[in-house]
Amino acid sequence: MSNFNKPIFTAPRDAPAWKGPQGLEELQRHLQTAMILELHTIPLYLYAAYSVKNDQLAAYKFLVVVRQEMLHLGLAGNILCAIGGTPKVYGPEYTPKYPVDIFYDDRVQLELKAATKDHVKTFMELEAPIAPLTIMATENILPDYHSLIFLDEEYKSRGESLFNPDTIGKQFQTADGSWYDEDMTVIQDIESAKAALTLIIEQGEGSTGVAIKNTIQSHFQIFEDLHKLDLDCYPVVTNPSTEKFAENVPIHKMMLAFDAAYCYLLMTMERLWTYEGAMRGRLVTNNVMNLMLTIMKPISHFLVKQKLTDTMNAAPPFNLYTFKGVLGKTALKELQKLTHNAVAAFPNDINELQPIKEATNNLMDIGL
């Protein structure tokens, strides 16, 4: 029995029972579970990418997978949003806490570690192909096509629609800049939902047998190629817990700033699935893009080069940060203060870190 963390969110054990009054609720729970699984993989692969020292191509391959996992997270959230659910990614029940056992199978254990050959092997196990998609096995988290189709037909037989057109403007899509190509499908009907599920599964394991545009290799195949390499990595700490570095004041401040930025990103994503007003485009550019590219990324590159001991470096912790005020200006001001304090803790690196401080000043209050 593993002593790793277990997700707090209770994952369903069986395929959705589409008949009966609980059919929609069960389908929504399966989709939320799928989102949580996708969310668990993103820090995993980002951490590996940031640990790679000088092989830019290898780091890029990890980031290709990260980009696709972000797409899958968005698609699963779009389907959930379209059928009346509220996608969640922030909070103890949803945000990953490493090390953690994957849903349904404690043989596959997720850890934040350097991209060693053994660790990449774990990624291969995580993305291993399953049997071609018919009725999905109970251990597979995504709802099967049949449950979606049957529930859709059940709604149509009552003169109702499973998919709510009022959610279209609240979904991630190219129109608002939240994705860069047509792969981020807007879910309007059963066909668009099926297309999204096929893309998620095919890009991951490559098991549906369906050719997917913009997909050359599955994640399994990418990691299979990376496993053949002996990558030179920074000796980053495994599964960093921010609170354990409180005595190293500068590092602790930078880790706290990273955690707060990461969690403000998750909060912004949740907000986007509930909001379609005039400020939506700015939420994407000012928050999502800023947080990922001009705050979290440079902090990560900075941390992996900072010595904790003679044999171990720091790293981005991807810990849950609980804001004193979840919505409104309190959370934003708290993030800005943490970031400003982190930058000030490294006066000799001010030229490198000052843009991070400036980027936090451009963030939007998600309470609008």
Side-chain angles (χ1 to χ4, degrees), residues 40-53:
H40 273 68
T41 64
I42 292 169
L44 200 68
Y45 302 151
L46 276 174
Y47 200 89
Y50 291 136
S51 77
V52 176
K53 265 190 179 179

Side-chain angles (χ1 to χ4, degrees), residues 19-20 25 45 49-50 55 63 82 102 116 132 186-187 203 213 230 238 252 255 266 289 302 307 326 342 347 365 368:
K19 290 185 177 180
E25 183 179 332
Y45 302 151
Y50 291 136
D55 192 329
L63 295 177
I102 190 174
T116 62
V186 176
I187 309 302
Q203 283 187 340
K213 186 178 179 181
D230 287 309
T238 297
H252 184 247
M255 284 183 162
L266 298 180
M289 300 306 172
F302 181 77
K307 289 282 188 183
V326 174
D365 166 24
L368 302 174

